[in-house]
Amino acid sequence: MNVPDKLPVSVADWLSYLEVFHPQTIELGLERVNRIRVELALQPQFPIIIVGGTNGKGSVCAMLESILHCAGYAVGCYTSPHLLHYNERIRIGKKDIDDKSLCNAFTQIYSACSVRGISLTYFEFGTLAAMYCFVQAGVNAAVLEVGLGGRLDAVNIFDADCSILTSIDLDHVEYLGDTREKIGFEKAAIFRKNKPAICAEIDIPQSVIQQAEKNDAILYQINEQFGFSKQDMHWDFWGPESRRYSLPLPALRGEKQLQNASTCLAALDTLREVLPVSMNNVRQGLMEAIIPGRFQVISTQPLIILDVAHNPSAAMVLSQNLRATRSTGQTYAVVAMLQDKDICGVIQALKNDIDYWLVSSVDSSRAATADYLINEIHKAEVSDDDHIRKFSDTGSAFVFACEQASKNDRICVFGSFYTVSDVLQYLNTHRSK
């Protein structure tokens, strides 16, 4: 454990320290972080909803948070990663945690680590900080997003009153396994005995069913115990305990959002005794839920879309959404990705939707170089050299796209959280001048 000369006093200083506090960026396992939880006496007395899955976790968390907030509950929501500020990861009452509360949580966790002689990873520290803040604030409910997998993720030290699996696909295969069965086994380990386990994955791996049986969880599968039907400008939900008709389409854009929304309502259906919500709460919550970077439209002429899609299944959803918002002009892609992602799979998923590829790298030790991305684009035979251009950074690529695009064209920024964050930072700086 790296011991500082003096404790950090700002969030920025704490984050810099936490990056070197533990010798590894990721160390799967629950023993260390659980010992610190015990040392801090973190025994939450409020309902906890844990959300895992490959894609869709952020949208489900945002909808749950919004609906419960509209119902008058003080809701704690923990998600990752962040786009601009670390405080985005921890929200109470739909507001980012303040610096003072966050620094206090970090200080208390550090003290517990010192007592036990234990070091934690960046994510483990943040997970404990989130729950510490929620307990201190006296929230009525908490929504926790799994960071990686489920079985050995720090979030799994807390017992869920309801667990949700949004989707199961190949990602982080070096940690979770190289098949959907292996990944499903890891993710379904958030299920708890005699507690509802909501699964929105249509093609459910057998390992998920086996985990539910092993853990004695009560499994609810989409299209079996719950589901939805879309009408012209509204949709209907049917669940294990209720039906809700003529619901408004979610504010979150995308073809997958009704599936995500029905998953939220199924979870709330099972928690109706402890977290009752009205029809008006559901309507208002769906219309007010927002989440930056998920098919986020920031301009209409030209159409500018920000999407953190970084694996093939998310890229396929992005492709569906692009086709649903067809443009009469050209589509410019501003893309940068991490080396450990399935870059070829992402390119293949979007190859018929992109006219011009504006490629760069991001500021991360895991970043793929622009040259590597261009080579992958060439291998996929999706474009010629006249339609591919390399840039030193994502901001430069975005500026070029804005200069080239007419009002009938569209610009799609995707590939990673870093990519979207870079563009948001550029926009914030540019607009402030």
Side-chain angles (χ1 to χ4, degrees), residues 62-73 94 235 244 246-252 265 268 277-290:
M63 291 185 196
L64 283 170
E65 178 189 28
S66 185
I67 293 170
L68 290 171
H69 178 79
C70 290
Y73 299 107
K94 293 190 77 173
W235 65 289
R244 299 185 188 266
S246 298
L247 293 166
L249 298 178
L252 295 177
L265 297 191
L268 293 173
V277 297
S278 71
M279 190 68 160
N280 284 339
N281 300 152
V282 172
R283 290 176 179 275
Q284 185 180 358
L286 290 175
M287 292 188 290
E288 293 182 0
I290 58 172

Side-chain angles (χ1 to χ4, degrees), residues 342-362:
D342 183 358
I343 294 173
C344 182
V346 169
I347 293 170
Q348 289 288 349
L350 288 160
K351 66 180 182 180
N352 296 321
D353 306 297
I354 307 300
D355 297 298
Y356 293 94
W357 298 78
L358 311 181
V359 180
S360 68
S361 187
V362 291

Side-chain angles (χ1 to χ4, degrees), residues 83-137:
L83 285 173
L84 295 177
H85 307 289
Y86 186 93
N87 305 54
E88 298 167 19
R89 296 184 179 215
I90 304 171
R91 295 187 300 279
I92 298 176
K94 293 190 77 173
K95 294 181 179 179
D96 297 347
I97 195 69
D98 62 274
D99 286 1
K100 182 179 179 181
S101 297
L102 184 55
C103 287
N104 178 55
F106 284 156
T107 301
Q108 298 303 318
I109 296 164
Y110 175 81
S111 296
C113 288
S114 298
V115 169
R116 292 287 188 177
I118 291 174
S119 65
L120 299 176
T121 66
Y122 186 93
F123 183 80
E124 290 167 342
F125 222 97
T127 301
L128 287 175
M131 187 56 75
Y132 186 89
C133 290
F134 296 160
V135 171
Q136 291 297 305

Side-chain angles (χ1 to χ4, degrees), residues 304-308 332 334 394 398 411-415 419-420 423:
I304 301 178
I305 299 162
L306 308 181
D307 199 297
V308 296
Y332 294 83
V334 176
T394 307
F398 180 69
I411 301 168
C412 184
V413 180
F414 70 92
T419 312
V420 171
V423 170

Side-chain angles (χ1 to χ4, degrees), residues 1-2 4 10 19 22 26 29 75 101 107 121 124 133 137 143 164 195 270 279-280 300 323 342 344 372 387 397:
M1 183 172 76
N2 293 304
S10 69
E19 289 175 352
H22 192 73
I26 297 174
V75 185
S101 297
T107 301
T121 66
E124 290 167 342
C133 290
V143 179
I164 295 174
K195 300 294 184 181
T270 66
M279 190 68 160
N280 284 339
T300 55
R323 293 175 190 181
D342 183 358
C344 182
Y372 183 88
H387 288 234

Side-chain angles (χ1 to χ4, degrees), residues 13-44:
D13 289 342
W14 268 112
L15 297 179
S16 295
Y17 172 62
L18 294 182
E19 289 175 352
V20 297
F21 181 64
H22 192 73
Q24 296 171 246
T25 302
I26 297 174
E27 183 179 345
L28 297 178
L30 301 182
E31 182 181 355
R32 289 173 301 101
V33 68
N34 195 51
R35 286 173 65 188
I36 302 303
R37 180 194 66 80
V38 173
E39 183 70 26
L40 292 168
L42 285 181
Q43 298 284 353

